[in-house]
Amino acid sequence: MADTDLATVQNAALPVVVADPAEIARISDSINITDRAGISVYGDRAQQAVSDYADRILREVRNKDLGDVGRLLTDIILKSKSLDPASLKDKGFLSRMFLSAKARLERFKAEFEDVAGQIDRIGPELDRHKDTLRRDIALFDDLHEETRQSIMRLEAYVQAGKTFAERFRGVDLPRLKAQAEAAATGPGGGMLEAQTYQDSLQALDRLEKRVFYLQQARQLGIQQLPQIRIVQAGDETLIENLQATSALTVPAWKQKMVILLGLTRQKSALDLQKAVTDATNDMIRQASEMMKDQGDRHRAAVAARHRRYRHARQGEQGSDRYHIRRAAGSGGGASETGARRAADGADDDRTQEGDDPGVIGKMTMRALLSGPALLALLSLSGCNPFGRGPEFSILSGSENTVLQPIVEEFCKQKSAACTFKYEGTLDIGLALQSDEGVAQDAVWPASSVWVDMFDTRRRVKNLTSIAQTPVVLGVRRSKAQQLGWIDKDVFMKDILAAVESGSLKFLMTSATQSNSGASAYLAMLSSALGNKPVIEPGDLDDKHVQESVRSLLSGVVRSSGSSGWLADLYVESAGKGTVYDAMWNYEAVLKETNDKLVALSQEPLYAIYPADGVAMADSPIGFVDHGRGPEVQTFFNDLLSYLSSAPVQQRIADTGRRIPLTGVAAKPDPSWNFDPARLVTAIRMPEAGVIRQGAQPLSGGAAQTVADRALPRFFRLDAG
């Protein structure tokens, strides 16, 4: 992610990182629970390696001192700005008095030659700096690989610690407790045995804390990998800019100055020519006026002589020889004609399709007690009609329906009876928080942040991320074209403007039931807060923030309790002729929806990745132990290994999900802006404690999340 935030383990997306089993076993066997000093530094070297690599990245990305090159570039920029072509013009009386045109031209030429000479000298320095940047790019490649290896070592320590802790808590700790209780009735009162049990319990707690800190260090290392690539991309861009400066900018600047000087000289020649022409015209005009005056005097003298001898010749026909004829000149100016252009244009009246403004409640059941449903009930009740394998049930978010066939293939290989039950991710979290817990053997929500927040009794074990997918806005392509969002960076403020103008309405899941709805809301909240690194409880009371989010959420026209059901609602409505503008959902669910829409010859949804930041879902699956025996735990571990295998990872990636650190991804589709390899800016989810602090009980037994606390009660997206 371009400027990615570091997140804690509670809210981070934890990719599948498979360490060497032999290394895990070696580390696990080396753990000595009685070695208090060893427990306190467990995995310290691997953790320190990630920190060291972070320090190296920090040193490399600090602003490099360009030295003489930077100072020379700054000086050239200042002098280039001082080369004002307007200085060659006459600006007033004082300018003409103290500086002639020739003097101004000569001064400009001197300044130009000074800057041009400096530019010629900086060329070799720029080439040297480009070589340095190329070496930096190679160094970052090595750093990327070292960081990746360090993450693998950290993963080995994390898995080894978890394996040891689960084994010790399940076998050794009960044995020590039983010994302490048995010794309590003896003559010594069991003081030593009780102390041994307490020491072991405390050491185990410290080991689990160390594993937790190692998970944080691993997440830090994972987020360093895209940061390294971002820095490399910056260096590559800088090299391209330096190359463009040498090959394009400097020659263009020189050409401009040369043309300017040529035009200045040309103007001087034209001014001289105009002066000569004006002087010639003045002389011709003066000569013409002198000739006219001379002719007028001559004609007046002839007329006077004619009048003098006129009476001396009475009776003679007067000759008109000397009759003066004055021609009256005529002249006419050409009449001016003009044409008025008229431009006709149609008003751009945009109409908004009619949308159902209501907010629907929970989706109804699609089928009642069909044959497959009866088999599912038999499996949940403990009956396995297939025999050999265990009955195994999964409580999952509905976005995973496309992955159910992959899991069922594994269950068939193991002759196990597997069933799925689908609910919203927040509903899964609330079930974990309740006294009854969940009845299923595993949970598979959309995001681990809600498990970390609600599972206060630590019922979920070995929670592992299977894939990642961001929550994005899918907009009908024609609507996106109308809004000018095709091939453009779209921010939350652009979405807000479209909603406020009435140009955009969208579907969105309930923020109190589904992770996609809560994630979309938190992305809106983060944008309204100016993308603060951390959302704090006090931020929710900001009136401006409440108004911005309220305006964004006013675009909701339909809702649902789960992302998969929301996608089904959109497709079914499109098939019946009701087409909505947009839908907030996971990137992978958007791909599934578009595949169905294309099959129905319907318009696909264009993916909008808000440039402010998106919330990432890490799709974790975890085991819930109901005491049904080790074969159920073994089955889950085998399922996890199956989902982490390369062929299955490729199949999961083909559904549009992101698999970090593997290099596998679905094929991009530019027609609707889909690219699972695209780097996105991820918002930092609020700490679990902050969300828990903002929660208050509501009617119906639900928990009020930050989404509800920031909005009035009547405006909540409550699917009930």
Side-chain angles (χ1 to χ4, degrees):
M1 342 177 174
D3 63 330
T4 10
D5 292 325
L6 296 177
T8 60
V9 171
Q10 286 94 338
N11 56 58
L14 301 179
V16 176
V17 179
V18 182
D20 184 7
E23 181 69 9
I24 294 175
R26 183 190 66 79
I27 297 174
S28 179
D29 293 340
S30 66
I31 298 176
N32 184 2
I33 199 67
T34 62
D35 184 3
R36 303 172 70 92
I39 293 297
S40 63
V41 296
Y42 175 75
D44 187 61
R45 290 185 179 179
Q47 181 179 0
Q48 186 61 38
V50 173
S51 178
D52 291 342
Y53 295 147
D55 292 339
R56 288 181 59 184
I57 295 173
L58 180 61
R59 289 195 298 270
E60 293 298 332
V61 300
R62 284 175 179 167
N63 292 331
K64 298 179 176 64
D65 184 11
L66 295 180
D68 295 336
V69 178
R71 288 189 292 273
L72 186 54
L73 279 174
T74 303
D75 187 50
I76 289 173
I77 292 172
L78 294 176
K79 289 191 175 183
S80 298
K81 290 182 178 180
S82 69
L83 290 177
D84 185 8
S87 65
L88 297 173
K89 299 179 180 179
D90 292 336
K91 295 184 178 180
F93 173 76
L94 293 177
S95 176
R96 292 193 298 271
M97 177 182 292
F98 294 104
L99 288 175
S100 64
K102 181 178 180 181
R104 290 194 298 273
L105 178 60
E106 292 300 325
R107 187 179 67 177
F108 185 84
K109 286 170 57 181
E111 293 176 354
F112 165 72
E113 292 172 356
D114 178 43
V115 177
Q118 293 186 45
I119 289 178
D120 290 336
R121 292 194 299 273
I122 201 177
E125 295 293 334
L126 294 179
D127 292 337
R128 182 177 60 83
H129 193 59
K130 284 189 289 186
D131 292 337
T132 301
L133 291 174
R134 292 190 187 99
R135 289 194 296 271
D136 288 347
I137 292 173
L139 174 64
F140 280 122
D141 282 334
D142 296 338
L143 187 60
H144 187 278
E145 181 59 26
E146 291 176 359
T147 303
R148 186 176 181 277
Q149 293 298 327
S150 177
I151 292 172
M152 300 300 292
R153 289 192 293 271
L154 270 175
E155 176 64 16
Y157 275 97
V158 169
Q159 295 300 330
K162 288 183 176 180
T163 301
F164 179 85
E166 291 179 2
R167 184 176 65 245
F168 191 85
R169 189 178 292 277
V171 178
D172 296 332
L173 202 61
R175 177 177 53 80
L176 293 175
K177 183 178 181 181
Q179 291 177 356
E181 292 174 349
T185 59
M191 294 297 294
L192 293 178
E193 289 79 1
Q195 184 63 45
T196 300
Y197 170 73
Q198 290 297 327
D199 289 345
S200 300
L201 182 62
Q202 293 175 5
L204 182 60
D205 288 340
R206 286 195 298 272
L207 176 62
E208 290 178 336
K209 289 180 180 179
R210 283 297 304 166
V211 170
F212 176 77
Y213 294 147
L214 293 179
Q215 286 180 291
Q216 290 182 312
R218 181 188 64 173
Q219 182 63 22
L220 174 66
I222 290 174
Q223 295 196 352
Q224 286 171 4
L225 297 180
Q227 291 173 359
I228 293 173
R229 294 306 188 204
I230 291 172
V231 174
Q232 283 183 308
D235 285 347
E236 292 168 353
T237 301
L238 185 54
I239 290 175
E240 294 171 355
N241 291 339
L242 292 176
Q243 183 66 28
T245 300
S246 301
L248 299 175
T249 306
V250 172
W253 182 82
K254 288 182 178 180
Q255 291 173 5
K256 177 185 175 183
M257 291 297 107
V258 170
I259 292 173
L260 178 61
L261 290 172
L263 291 175
T264 302
R265 292 192 182 95
Q266 187 182 75
K267 182 179 181 300
S268 299
L270 291 173
D271 291 342
L272 178 60
Q273 181 183 0
K274 182 178 182 298
V276 173
T277 302
D278 291 344
T280 302
N281 291 335
D282 288 340
M283 289 188 291
I284 294 174
R285 185 167 50 253
Q286 292 173 3
S288 176
E289 291 176 354
M290 291 173 62
M291 292 175 66
K292 178 179 180 296
D293 291 341
Q294 182 66 23
D296 289 343
R297 287 193 296 270
H298 176 71
R299 286 190 293 271
V302 171
R305 285 197 300 271
H306 177 71
R307 287 192 299 272
R308 186 181 304 160
Y309 294 102
R310 184 173 164 184
H311 298 288
R313 302 180 63 183
Q314 294 291 336
E316 291 185 4
Q317 178 79 26
S319 174
D320 59 357
R321 176 180 178 182
Y322 298 104
H323 179 69
I324 300 175
R325 298 179 62 192
R326 301 181 182 270
S330 63
S335 61
E336 296 181 355
T337 60
R340 178 175 301 174
R341 297 179 180 177
D344 295 329
D347 293 337
D348 182 18
D349 295 333
R350 298 179 179 178
T351 59
Q352 173 67 31
E353 295 82 4
D355 291 316
D356 183 2
V359 177
I360 67 171
K362 296 181 179 177
M363 301 291 290
T364 58
M365 296 180 61
R366 302 179 184 273
L368 295 175
L369 296 181
S370 60
L374 289 174
L375 288 177
L377 290 175
L378 286 173
S379 179
L380 288 173
S381 64
C383 301
N384 181 6
F386 300 103
R388 296 184 298 275
E391 297 95 355
F392 194 86
S393 57
I394 301 175
L395 180 60
S396 172
S398 61
E399 68 279 353
N400 292 327
T401 53
V402 70
L403 303 180
Q404 180 175 346
I406 297 177
V407 175
E408 288 176 342
E409 289 181 12
F410 172 79
C411 297
K412 185 176 181 180
Q413 295 174 9
K414 297 291 185 179
S415 299
C418 297
T419 57
F420 275 75
K421 181 180 180 182
Y422 293 106
E423 290 185 2
T425 291
L426 272 71
D427 288 337
I428 295 175
L430 292 171
L432 289 171
Q433 188 183 44
S434 65
D435 294 336
E436 297 80 12
V438 298
Q440 289 73 22
D441 303 298
V443 292
W444 197 351
S447 177
S448 58
V449 64
W450 309 110
V451 177
D452 293 332
M453 187 182 79
F454 289 115
D455 186 20
T456 56
R457 308 187 189 191
R458 301 289 182 93
R459 287 167 166 157
V460 180
K461 309 295 183 182
N462 201 11
L463 190 68
T464 304
S465 172
I466 300 302
Q468 295 182 0
T469 183
V471 177
V472 300
L473 178 63
V475 184
R476 280 191 299 109
R477 185 175 178 86
S478 58
K479 174 64 68 173
Q481 185 78 43
Q482 175 187 341
L483 295 172
W485 290 353
I486 302 296
D487 297 329
K488 296 290 182 61
D489 287 337
V490 180
F491 294 81
M492 280 293 183
K493 64 179 182 181
D494 302 320
I495 301 175
L496 173 60
V499 171
E500 289 180 338
S501 67
S503 301
L504 182 68
K505 300 290 183 180
F506 50 80
L507 278 64
M508 177 175 153
T509 59
S510 169
T512 60
Q513 290 183 287
S514 172
N515 176 71
S516 63
S519 297
Y521 166 78
L522 289 172
M524 299 175 188
L525 182 62
S526 176
S527 174
L529 290 170
N531 297 313
K532 285 185 59 176
V534 178
I535 299 177
E536 300 173 348
D539 297 330
L540 307 179
D541 299 324
D542 189 303
K543 298 298 182 183
H544 170 71
V545 171
Q546 292 183 10
E547 289 300 325
S548 297
V549 176
R550 181 180 290 109
S551 297
L552 278 167
L553 292 178
S554 66
V556 178
V557 291
R558 299 295 296 272
S559 182
S560 177
S562 183
S563 56
W565 300 337
L566 190 74
D568 292 342
L569 170 63
Y570 187 96
V571 174
E572 291 172 2
S573 298
K576 296 176 181 178
T578 302
V579 181
Y580 297 102
D581 289 342
M583 173 178 66
W584 284 98
N585 219 316
Y586 302 109
E587 180 187 50
V589 175
L590 215 60
K591 179 181 184 302
E592 300 164 19
T593 303
N594 279 342
D595 291 342
K596 296 176 183 178
L597 290 173
V598 171
L600 294 173
S601 299
Q602 296 290 330
E603 184 180 13
L605 294 170
Y606 186 87
I608 299 295
Y609 301 79
D612 312 63
V614 297
M616 295 292 292
D618 57 338
S619 186
I621 187 171
F623 178 67
V624 181
D625 190 0
H626 292 291
R628 297 175 52 211
E631 65 171 338
V632 180
Q633 171 76 64
T634 301
F635 178 85
F636 173 80
N637 293 336
D638 293 343
L639 173 61
L640 193 60
S641 299
Y642 172 77
L643 294 174
S644 304
S645 63
V648 176
Q649 291 274 284
Q650 181 62 63
R651 293 178 61 185
I652 294 175
D654 290 339
T655 66
R657 287 158 174 80
R658 301 177 177 219
I659 313 294
L661 302 178
T662 60
V664 297
K667 183 180 179 181
D669 190 347
S671 66
W672 60 277
N673 201 30
F674 170 70
D675 185 5
R678 178 201 311 263
L679 290 177
V680 294
T681 300
I683 65 169
R684 179 171 180 175
M685 301 287 282
E687 300 288 342
V690 175
I691 301 178
R692 195 177 295 113
Q693 181 180 352
Q696 298 175 2
L698 294 175
S699 61
Q704 184 184 24
T705 66
V706 288
D708 303 302
R709 185 171 182 263
L711 299 176
R713 174 72 179 273
F714 69 91
F715 202 76
R716 289 189 300 109
L717 296 180
D718 194 340

